[in-house]
Amino acid sequence: MPLTPSRTVDELSELRELTGDENGAQRVAWTETWEGARDWLREKLDGLPLEEEIDEAGNQWFTLRGASERALLIGGHLDSVPNGGWLDGCLNVIAGAEVLRRIAEDGEPPVSVRLVNWADEEGARFGRSLFGSSAAAGSMADQDELRQKRDADGIALPDALAEHGVDLDRALEARRQLEGAAAYLELHIEQGPVLESMDLPLGVVVGTFGVERHLVTWTGQAAHAGSTPMDKRRDALAGAAKLELEIREIARRTGDGAVCTSGGVVCRPGIVTSVVETAEQLLDQRHLDAEKLAAMLAEAKQASDRFAGEESIDASWSKIWSIEPILFDPQLILLADEAITEVAGRSHRLPSGPLHDAAEVARAGIPTVMVFVQSLRGLSHTKLEDTKPEHLELSVEALDRLASKTIDWVAG
Ligand SMILES: [Zn+2]
């Protein structure tokens, strides 16, 4: 049977019925519902000449053996956040299954083709995203922390994993899965408004943003709101307020997709009759270019020093978290452009703000690219998440063409 993109839409609906409720998708990793989704996928692929394996990190692999041991990987994740959408992660897997059917139908491929359903991309239950892919990529380095993690019911992460046959101490043995990998492809909903605003169904992801996350603590002096003249105040909130406006300018000046966000400010004493003594300000800066990201951070720090001087207050910075930008493979970006142009007439290149399993695979040195399909209203991680069925079908076609081109590239 030739590629049947409408089947992907039907199967997505079927999975939604099976694993969702009136509040949305409930396929949280390391739960019965998630296990049920894996069983469902296995049944869907029954009858194809595939070898299935669940690896040491809980990733589910289906391998179509080719003439060569080198492999094209197509990946996604069936797990969802609680009350999640019907497409995030599972579109990638189910479209990949359709492509695998088409390739299997054509006879032995020149290289092996492997579909992977990564375990626990979302980190919804234990707060650790990209579990399975980071284990396979070898970048997982937080086993000691993971051992201590508990879910909302107090169940320890290692115990929850053990119920699904995963031994945390052995998770990194999943690294062997990437040994023969020659390329990795991932289709995903955009989860943002860019493609919809450009009226384009599909785009090529050039990489994932680097992120700098910091806590800026401003320290002034609490003082009576009635008795302290305006020119005698050391108002910590004034520093935070100035910085919040300045980071918009920093992002605007830097351009090329730069984003800066002050996601929260906590003021103390936080009462209506006192000047603010301390303001703790959250700052998140993102860029696809490592140098520009570093420059944005430096500019924000310089600005904070200036504002501290102006307001006679102190500013101190502490890092919460950071990750470098991860760029996808130039040749695969070209092939994805071609595939999208063939099925949709026009392609567009864009960065990804959220991280994805693809970023872990790319970090491991495997040539990687992602394709985004338009998200309606840019919504995700909610039952309102949606994409037009005709765009879902186009995305399956684009993934299929990209897979063919990539097989030729890898085999050639
Ligand atoms: Zn996802």
Side-chain angles (χ1 to χ4, degrees):
M1 192 185 292
L3 189 81
T4 312
S6 61
R7 175 161 48 193
T8 301
V9 181
D10 292 343
E11 288 177 344
L12 282 163
S13 304
E14 192 181 318
L15 185 67
R16 167 152 74 175
E17 287 303 309
L18 206 66
T19 58
D21 59 24
E22 68 281 7
N23 297 314
Q26 307 298 346
R27 295 181 304 276
V28 175
W30 322 112
T31 63
E32 283 305 309
T33 308
W34 173 69
E35 195 69 69
R38 299 206 295 187
D39 294 343
W40 174 86
L41 179 63
R42 180 178 303 123
E43 282 168 29
K44 285 289 154 191
L45 290 169
D46 197 30
L48 293 180
L50 305 175
E51 296 159 27
E52 190 206 350
E53 179 188 358
I54 305 246
D55 71 20
E56 294 84 349
N59 303 309
Q60 186 181 27
W61 296 83
F62 296 91
T63 302
L64 174 67
R65 293 267 163 223
S68 154
E69 282 291 301
R70 302 193 71 206
L72 163 66
L73 311 185
I74 302 173
H77 59 96
L78 286 184
D79 74 295
S80 75
V81 296
N83 305 328
W86 71 302
L87 301 171
D88 180 1
C90 56
L91 166 64
N92 339 359
V93 176
I94 296 171
E98 186 60 28
V99 172
L100 206 50
R101 287 184 187 115
R102 195 274 302 162
I103 296 171
E105 179 83 13
D106 290 352
E108 185 190 57
V111 299
S112 298
V113 183
R114 308 185 69 201
L115 177 67
V116 54
N117 166 25
W118 298 111
D120 204 358
E121 191 270 353
E122 300 285 2
R125 185 168 166 194
F126 294 99
R128 170 48 156 99
S129 307
L130 307 175
F131 179 90
S133 54
S134 69
S139 64
M140 178 185 279
D142 55 350
Q143 272 99 333
D144 289 343
E145 266 173 65
L146 291 176
R147 249 181 284 283
Q148 308 303 323
K149 283 197 186 290
R150 289 176 184 275
D151 69 7
D153 297 324
I155 297 169
L157 179 145
D159 296 339
L161 270 56
E163 277 183 40
H164 298 272
V166 172
D167 175 355
L168 179 61
D169 294 327
R170 293 187 55 209
L172 274 166
E173 290 175 32
R175 287 183 80 159
R176 66 192 164 79
Q177 298 289 0
L178 296 189
E179 273 164 18
Y184 175 80
L185 309 178
E186 188 173 321
L187 168 67
H188 207 285
I189 53 167
E190 183 198 339
Q191 302 175 287
V194 174
L195 292 173
E196 187 182 32
S197 70
M198 299 180 74
D199 201 20
L200 290 174
L202 299 163
V204 184
V205 186
V206 292
T208 57
F209 276 156
V211 183
E212 287 284 355
R213 250 174 232 167
H214 294 259
L215 177 70
V216 188
T217 303
W218 301 89
T219 310
Q221 176 62 57
H224 196 286
S227 63
T228 317
M230 297 310 289
D231 62 351
K232 299 285 187 292
R233 295 178 179 211
R234 297 176 57 219
D235 181 357
L237 179 57
K242 286 183 170 181
L243 185 61
E244 148 59 24
L245 295 177
E246 182 65 19
I247 58 171
R248 299 182 185 187
E249 293 305 311
I250 291 171
R252 191 187 52 75
R253 280 199 301 273
T254 307
D256 291 335
V259 283
C260 298
T261 306
S262 178
V265 180
V266 175
C267 295
R268 293 191 182 82
I271 54 172
V272 73
T273 52
S274 176
V275 172
V276 172
E277 180 158 280
T278 62
E280 291 181 336
Q281 181 171 28
L282 295 168
L283 188 63
D284 177 295
Q285 298 183 290
R286 303 185 189 214
H287 206 286
L288 196 59
D289 181 305
E291 279 178 25
K292 288 187 174 167
L293 179 60
M296 292 207 305
L297 175 61
E299 279 188 51
K301 284 186 172 173
Q302 281 162 14
S304 72
D305 287 343
R306 194 166 75 240
F307 301 145
E310 289 168 8
E311 300 296 331
S312 302
I313 56 180
D314 290 319
S316 70
W317 286 65
S318 65
K319 182 185 272 198
I320 298 170
W321 182 75
S322 69
I323 188 168
E324 71 277 20
I326 295 160
L327 299 177
F328 292 152
D329 184 78
Q331 180 62 27
L332 287 177
I333 290 172
L334 278 177
L335 295 180
D337 263 336
E338 276 180 29
I340 291 173
T341 306
E342 285 169 22
V343 304
R346 225 175 108 204
S347 181
H348 174 70
R349 294 182 178 190
L350 72 170
S352 171
L355 281 173
H356 291 285
D357 293 308
E360 287 291 350
V361 182
R363 276 168 99 181
I366 313 297
T368 293
V369 76
M370 291 184 76
V371 169
F372 274 170
V373 61
Q374 187 191 108
S375 290
L376 292 173
R377 292 158 293 162
L379 293 176
S380 186
H381 285 193
T382 155
K383 67 174 178 179
L384 298 175
E385 172 185 290
D386 208 3
T387 295
K388 289 177 192 156
E390 60 266 36
H391 289 173
L392 292 174
E393 292 191 19
L394 277 182
S395 76
V396 181
E397 276 184 52
L399 181 66
D400 184 57
R401 285 181 185 239
L402 175 57
S404 289
K405 291 172 192 290
T406 307
I407 289 171
D408 289 347
W409 178 58
V410 169

Coordinates of all heavy atoms in Angstrom, one line a residue, residues 77 88-89 121-122 188, ligand 1:
H77 N 7.7 11.1 20.6 CA 7.4 10.6 22.0 C 5.9 10.5 22.1 O 5.2 11.4 21.8 CB 8.0 11.5 23.0 CG 7.5 12.9 23.0 ND1 6.5 13.3 23.8 CD2 7.9 14.0 22.2 CE1 6.3 14.6 23.5 NE2 7.1 15.0 22.6
D88 N 1.2 16.7 20.3 CA 2.6 16.9 20.7 C 3.3 15.5 21.0 O 2.9 14.8 21.9 CB 2.5 17.7 22.0 CG 3.9 18.0 22.6 OD1 4.9 17.5 22.0 OD2 4.0 18.6 23.6
G89 N 4.3 15.3 20.2 CA 5.0 14.0 20.3 C 4.5 12.8 19.6 O 5.3 12.1 18.9
E121 N 9.7 12.3 27.3 CA 10.3 13.5 26.8 C 9.8 14.7 27.7 O 10.5 15.6 27.9 CB 9.7 13.7 25.3 CG 10.4 14.9 24.6 CD 9.7 16.2 24.8 OE1 8.6 16.3 25.4 OE2 10.3 17.2 24.3
E122 N 8.6 14.6 28.1 CA 8.0 15.8 28.8 C 8.5 16.0 30.2 O 8.4 17.1 30.7 CB 6.4 15.6 28.8 CG 5.8 15.5 27.4 CD 5.8 16.9 26.7 OE1 6.3 17.9 27.3 OE2 5.2 16.9 25.6
H188 N 7.4 17.6 14.2 CA 6.7 18.0 15.4 C 5.8 19.2 15.1 O 6.0 19.9 14.1 CB 7.8 18.5 16.5 CG 7.4 18.4 17.9 ND1 6.5 19.2 18.5 CD2 7.7 17.5 18.8 CE1 6.3 18.9 19.7 NE2 7.0 17.8 20.0
Ligands
ZN1 ZN 6.9 17.1 22.1

